Every structure is written in C-alpha cells, then in structure tokens.
Amino acid sequence: MSLTNLAFRSLRARPLRAVLSALGVALGVAVLFAGLATSAGVEASVRSTVNDLVGRSDLRVAAFGETGLSADTVALIGETPGVAIAAPALERRTYLAGSLDDTALPPPVTVLGIDPVIDARLHDLVLVAGSPLSDPGEHSALITEHLAAQDGLTVGSPLSMQAAGDPVSYRVVGIVAGDGPLTGAFGRTVIVPLRTAQAVFDETGVTRVDIGLSPDADPATVSSALEARLTAEPYVLSSPQDLAAALRASTADFQATTALIAAIALFAGAFLIFNTLSMTVSERIREVGLLRAAGARRGQVMSFMLTQALVLGVAGSLAGLVLGALLAFGMVAFVRTVGSVTLERPALPLDAVVIALIVGVGVTLAAAFEPSRRASRIQPVEALTPRLDRPAARSARLRWLAVVFGAVAVVGVVVLPRGAAGAGVVQALVVYAILLVATLLIPFVLPAIVRVAGAPFAAIFRFEERLARSSVVRDRSRTALTLGSLTIGLAMIVALGGVGEHARAAAAGWISDVVPGDLVVTSIRPIATDDGIAEDLAAAVPEIKQVSPIATFDIALRGTRTDAAAVVGADMAADGRLVFVDGDREVALAALDTGGSAIIPAALAERFGLSVGDAVSVPTIDGGSLDLTIVGVVERSIPGRTGEALLIGWGDATDRLGVAGADVFAVRFAPGAPASARDALRTEATTLALEVVPLDRIQGAISDALARIFGLFDALAAVAVLIAALGIVNTLTMNVIERVREIGILRAAGMTRSQVWRSVVVEAGVLGLAGALLGIALGLVVGALMVVLSGGRFDVASGIPWSIIGLALVLGVAVAMLAAAYPARIASRLSIVRAVQYD
C-alpha cells in the first residue's frame, strides 16, 4: 500500500502551514545560496583582479621604496636564464592640471607608465573606444572608462598633468574598459608610455617588472636565479598565486561570517520543519492510528511523513535558489568592496546550486526524521488517547536537535571559505555549540523567563496574560522549539552588533592613539624634509604648535613584505602617543631618533614571534642590510596599506631604506587655537597640493565601511527572525486547535471574542519578549566570544550595542505579535456550540 498520494493530500489539506514551512526552508536556503554565490563572486573577482594586475605574467619583481628598481636591475632581470619577457612599469600619483583650484583638491589620478610594445605581450588592455598606445616616445594616453565619465573626457581630449616641473600635456587616444588594470586607484588611471612617464616625474627607475617565462622554464628555478642575481636593491618577488592568496586573505573574514550566518539561518529553518512535523504527528494521531490498524507498516508510515518533508524541502529549496540569487546581487551591490577586492557581480556556479539544493533538502529531512520515527511507532490503541505528546516524546524532540545541529555544523564547515580554515572553523563551531546548548536549556528556564516576559502584559491584560502564560508552559518542548529559532536570530543580531561596536571603537581608538596631532595633511608624493613644507605650514598658520612628518613604506621583514612607517620619536613622546605593552616608553622613543631601533605593534610581534631585545635585519637600498633592535611593543601602530606598521626612526628610513620624504604630516594646534586656524591651514595646504584630513573624518570613513558590512550581516541574521515568525504562526495555530474545547468553555462562561483574540496576541507577545530577552543575553555572550576568538579584547563599556539591544526587544515582540494575527483571528471566530462539542 502506497501512502504517497495521501501525503500529498495531507499537504494540500493544510495549505497555509505547508506554505509557511516551505517558506522557512526557502529563506534558509536563500541565505546559504547567497553566501555561496557571493563567495564565488569574490573568488571570480580575485581572479579578475589578479589577471588585471599581472595578466599572463609568471612572476613579478616589485620595488621597495620610492626610488624603485634601477635600469641595471631591469637589465639583470631580462638577462636571467628562463626569462622571455621583462615588462617594466612605473606607477605614480598626480593631479590633472585643469582640475586644480584654490578651494579644494580634486581626486588624484594614478599614472601607469608602460612600454607599449613589451607590455602588450603580457597584459591585455580592453578598449571601448580609440586605439592602443604604439610609440614609446609619444605623448599619448589611455584613460579608464570611469575617469572619462567622471571628468567628461573623450578620445582626442587634451590631458594636462602636474609633473616634477611645469604641467605636461597628453592627448587621449583610447579608453580602457571599466576601472582599468590597477587596484586602489578608484578607477582614475591614466596609462602612458614608460619613457615619457619617467621624464614627467623625473624618474630613472621603475616600480615593478612583470616577467613572462620561456615555455620550458621552471618558475622555482628562475626565482632562485633572480634571488642570486638581484643583490643591489631591495625588492619582493611574487607569483600570481601569491597575489591571489593575499587578496583571498583580505576577504576571508567576510566570507566566514557570511557562511556562519547562512548556517544559522538553516538551523532556524530546521527548527521550523522540526516543529511543524512534530505538530502534525500530534494533530493526526487518530489518522495515523487508523492507518496502522488498516495494516500500514511502520516503514510506510515513516515514508508517509518523510514524503511530506521531502516535498517541503524540494519546493522550499527551489524557491530559495531564486531568492538567494536576488539576495546575492543585492549583497554585492550593497557592499561593493571586500578587503582589497572590488566585487564585480556574484557568481552562480553549478556546484553552488547543487550544494544549496542538497543541503536544503538534507537539513529538512534530518529535521523531519525524529517526528517521522515517532509517527511510525504510534499504535492503534494509543491513537484513542486524547493526547499522545508524552514527556518521553517531548524529550526526544530536544535530543534530536543535537543531530540536526551536527548536520548544520557540517554544512557550516563545508561552506566556510578556504582562507577561514583553522580559527574560522573553531569560531563557527563554538558559536553553534553555544546556540544549541542555550536552546536545549530553554525548557528548564522557561517558567522563570515567561513570568518575567509576562509582567509588562499583566499590568494591562491580567486575565489574558495568565491564560497566555499557562498555554506557553503547557508544552515546554514545543515552546522551546518555537523560541529557539527566534532566540538564535535575535542573538546573532545582537552578537554582530556587539562585534561591530567593538570594531568601530577599536578603529577610532587606533587613530587617536597613534597619530601625533589634531589632524593630518596628506600628499600624493613624498615630500623631503628640506622642501620646507612643514615650515611653510607653520609660518602660514601661527597657531600650529607642531608638524610631525610620517612616511609609510614597505620593508622586507624575514622575507615577507611588511608595512613600515618612519616617525620622529621626540614628536611621539611630546604628544603622548602610542600605548606600550612592553618596553620603556621614553627609552624606546629616544632610541628611534638615535638609530638602529624599531618599535613593533603587538599584532606583528605575535606574527613574527618578536619581543623587546630581539634583533631583525631589513634590506637597504645599497644592497646591504640594516640591523634593528626591538625596543618596544605597542598596542597599536601607524596604519599601513594592509595592517599596522613597524616604526623606524626618521634618520634610518631616509638614510638607509630609501624613503624620499613624508607622505603624511600630523599637525598639532596650540591649546585654545580658534576654528579659523583650521580654515587657514586648509587654504595653505591646497596651494601646496596637500589635502587636510581631520581625524574624525578618517574615523568616520572607517565607521561607514564597517557599518555597511555589519549592516549586511544584521540583515542576513534578521532572516532567522523572519523564519522564527513563521514558526510562531504554526505554533499558535496548533495551540488554538488543541484548545478549541477549552476556548469554547471559556466563551460559554462569558469570555468575549475580543478577550480570546487578545489572549492569543498576548501569548505571542510573551513568546516574543521571552525570545528577545534570551536572545539579548545569548547575543552578548556570543559577541564577546567572537571578539575574543578573533584575537581582540572585549570592552564592556564600549562593546555593548545598546541601540541593537533596543532594536532586538522591539523586533522580537513586534514580529511575534504580528505573527499572531492569523491564529488570533481563528480563535476569536470559533463558534461556542461547535467548540464545546469539539473532540
């Protein structure tokens, strides 16, 4: 006897419950598929970025410092056995002369000088208009499509750029598609012949050399040969794989958090399916008992229940794919940039589709297994009992949650990105475990938490609140399942809010702790101390007390490209900047100015295993090395391109490491300086082609970027809350069905329709407030752990997201009470006579 048709008829008989359950699966799968599609899009963007950067190159030799690689070094690279193509390039930033005015600086452009003939053998520049560069000596230029649109330029337009001397004119001969071949240029790139670029900027060296190998050459052998030959200047040798790995590392945290939230949304969907089918078993006791009495075997009954789950899982998963694709496009458009990668579009690979379908259906069946097994064990005699939902069955529900949790945990590990292995997996599993344990503990704390949650409603609706509270605690396991999905959804919103607050506070503290001034003045080119820029600023604005030069550059530390910054120790000491965690502050800062010393941030110290007293050696511009002693470890350091910088004395950096000058000046005003002093500084800085950047603007930019990322995470976590709302509809509807006779008796005793309606809505409000209270408490714990497991230090004073907590309270109660509208309507319309006769 096949019960498949009966399973389909059973779903059609309860269309609302079937739709809500399938929608819960769809939402969970949508977040999962959106995460997979976005991760695939990140990977595709990484490959595209690497292709734009290196093209068909097999290796890249990049210079340290502003002086670049000399012509002799470029020649040595080209003569190395196995090297077939050596394409040099020079990268510098400047301004378009026609866009400068006396009030504000325009966005700069990045000039990329290439040899048109050699470079074309390794890099493809896709043109949307015009023609490519051809003559190495011509004053022709290619511009990006982005720059052309921003500045209103077309093929044939004149282009005048600020140079080492007078402005130099070029003619636009072609427009390159999109943002062009450079990252970090914000799409404002001008590509010119290398020879003219060197003349414009009065340069003799190049920034890098891209290498194409002979067909039979071995990259490892050529790399060894280059390392043996290139001894005169510091450089870094990398492959496209190295660049891709660095880009992937910058996106790993985003992908890991997205995967974590996706698994949690699936977990919430599993709660909904689990609860729905459990209620179906309780609701259809007699029907299943009659099937058993008619000869249906246990396997057939179990198949009957699992068929319903399979239908819901397949329908929900297919709908989830469509929703997930739309969500992925929205995520990419909202975030735009992750780490060092600009997202182009999400990818929708076949393997992501298959994974989402398998996971969606698999989690649904896993959640349905225990209710199906319980249904198959119903005996005909048991079907005559008024209630089959015994304590043993209720505890079995909660035990099976551990199995469902295991399935979802495996899913979470599978969808985590490669760069998040290790610590990311540990963090995800710890969060899962805490959420599961908290859910399993809900039945034990339910009476107390419901009493607390009911207190605000009791003040206005005393009678309805008592009825609602008794209904909530009547079936603790069902309530635990209903509260579970709401709790974990709100917990993740609060947790991510806490992590976001911590990140913003840390970023704000980072800037204010390390920059020795009230604001900074930045330059797109290094300014030597003998240029007199600092003196010009101080002379133009008498209220300036101190101008501190800072130069950011790269060094090779133990063979790894590392951020470094040249500073004046006396300025840091006078301004009270840097928080030392090891070493004497005064001694360390004085040692920087003496020379031969360095101060390392705690993150770098941990990464390289360094402490006070250790010695490191870094390559110098003359082919030698500079020995530096670590004299201090600081909590935070000057921000570099990819992280915190190793601090080196100004003299060592300019004399031995090739630092040509400062790219940042930190300006400190005298106490009580009027606001007009800042306006005067801005005017003077603009005439010197410098940009004034207040510290709060830097902090604001960082906060905006973090707010965008964590806002997206909160929106994804809110999907779990929406799934919880669907579960509340199911639960309250089932409660109304089970209490039909009870409601009829209360109505016969004088209870009005409005009181019945209010009792159901208040019940939902109590559930919502209970879930919000549990979610807030759990979210604070999870958020603190996420910070600690990420290597941070959770600060109670600044890490508690009060606004998010308020939102969670409102959201929990509002979502639950809105979800109660349909069940309350059913309850209030019950006929007294039919309700009393209901069996």
Side-chain angles (χ1 to χ4, degrees), residues 43-61:
E43 180 63 27
S45 297
V46 167
R47 291 194 298 269
S48 175
T49 300
V50 171
N51 183 66
D52 288 341
L53 290 174
V54 301
R56 292 178 294 280
S57 304
D58 299 297
L59 296 171
R60 167 174 285 187
V61 177

Side-chain angles (χ1 to χ4, degrees), residues 50 153 185 351 455 482 492 494 604 767 783:
V50 171
L153 300 172
D351 59 344
T482 304
M492 287 310 300
V494 173
L604 275 183
L767 281 173

Side-chain angles (χ1 to χ4, degrees), residues 433-721:
I434 291 174
L435 294 175
L436 176 67
V437 170
T439 303
L440 295 178
L441 290 177
I442 287 178
F444 301 99
V445 301
L446 188 62
I449 194 68
V450 167
R451 185 175 295 276
V452 173
F457 298 95
I460 304 175
F461 307 110
R462 180 61 180 170
F463 173 69
E464 290 86 347
E465 186 272 338
R466 295 183 68 176
L467 283 177
R469 185 149 45 87
S470 65
S471 177
V472 168
V473 299
R474 181 178 303 173
D475 187 340
R476 295 188 186 184
S477 65
R478 180 188 300 167
T479 302
L481 291 171
T482 304
L483 278 182
S485 54
L486 180 62
T487 297
I488 63 175
L490 293 174
M492 287 310 300
I493 291 176
V494 173
L496 292 169
V499 174
E501 289 285 347
H502 167 80
R504 284 186 282 270
W510 182 5
I511 301 301
S512 60
D513 284 350
V514 302
V515 178
D518 300 308
L519 49 77
V520 296
V521 178
T522 64
S523 171
I524 61 171
R525 63 180 179 88
I527 299 176
T529 52
D530 57 8
D531 279 0
I533 293 293
E535 291 76 8
D536 291 343
L537 294 176
V541 186
E543 292 85 357
I544 291 179
K545 178 182 179 182
Q546 174 182 294
V547 179
S548 303
I550 301 173
T552 55
F553 57 103
D554 295 328
I555 60 170
L557 184 61
R558 294 184 175 177
T560 303
R561 178 186 286 271
T562 307
D563 291 307
V567 297
V568 177
D571 289 352
M572 290 286 188
D575 214 26
R577 290 305 196 259
L578 300 179
V579 178
F580 279 74
V581 297
D582 193 11
D584 183 271
R585 175 188 178 79
E586 294 183 4
V587 173
L589 292 174
L592 283 187
D593 294 337
T594 302
S597 302
I599 296 174
I600 191 168
L604 275 183
E606 182 179 354
R607 176 183 174 188
F608 290 105
L610 295 172
S611 59
V612 172
D614 291 341
V616 295
S617 180
V618 298
T620 59
I621 56 173
D622 57 6
S625 61
L626 173 64
D627 295 327
L628 299 171
T629 301
I630 304 299
V631 293
V633 179
V634 292
E635 191 174 85
R636 299 183 182 94
S637 178
I638 299 290
R641 289 194 307 172
T642 58
E644 298 177 72
L646 181 76
L647 300 181
I648 299 173
W650 188 262
D652 283 338
T654 54
D655 295 341
R656 302 292 308 281
L657 301 179
V659 173
D663 48 15
V664 174
F665 291 94
V667 178
R668 168 68 68 195
F669 291 101
S676 59
R678 293 176 181 259
D679 296 331
L681 173 63
R682 186 172 289 104
T683 300
E684 178 65 17
T686 301
T687 63
L688 299 172
L690 303 174
E691 184 176 8
V692 176
V693 183
L695 297 188
D696 56 1
R697 191 167 116 194
I698 301 175
Q699 295 167 357
I702 295 174
S703 294
D704 289 345
L706 291 173
R708 184 176 292 274
I709 294 292
F710 283 100
L712 173 64
F713 290 157
D714 284 338
L716 294 179
V719 174
V721 178

